[in-house]
Amino acid sequence: MPKSATSPKSFEAAVSELEAIVQEMESGNLPLEEALTRYQRGVGLLRYCQGTLANAEQRIRVLEGDTLVAFGNESGQAANTGDAE
């Protein structure tokens, strides 16, 4: 069994472990204490995933604001910055 205090190696590893925990809990075969332990680990993994996604979203917002071309701009030119003539 994985150590409950350890952080996952990656977002994908956390999602995979979380899916396994959900399957185990849905089976209904876990004793109460084991189910509570798995639930606690699941909450920690969920928080890790939410934090990772929030960080990725913030990085994307920074990139969109600084360097990315608007999706609707088919010509491949940079979005209008207001200083073009």
Side-chain angles (χ1 to χ4, degrees), residues 1 24-25 30-39:
M1 184 173 126
E24 287 176 325
M25 292 186 72
L30 292 174
L32 179 60
E33 285 302 317
E34 186 66 24
L36 288 171
T37 299
R38 300 294 169 110
Y39 182 83

Side-chain angles (χ1 to χ4, degrees), residues 69-79:
V69 174
F71 286 118
N73 190 347
E74 297 292 329
S75 67
Q77 297 175 352

Side-chain angles (χ1 to χ4, degrees), residues 49-64:
C49 289
Q50 289 172 333
T52 301
L53 289 173
N55 185 33
E57 183 178 4
Q58 181 61 34
R59 290 172 61 190
I60 289 169
R61 286 179 188 211
V62 167
L63 289 171
E64 285 177 342

Side-chain angles (χ1 to χ4, degrees), residues 1-6 17 20-21 24 34 37-38 41 45:
M1 184 173 126
K3 298 175 190 171
S4 60
T6 60
E17 186 179 347
I21 289 171
E24 287 176 325
E34 186 66 24
T37 299
R38 300 294 169 110
R41 175 65 175 168
L45 291 167

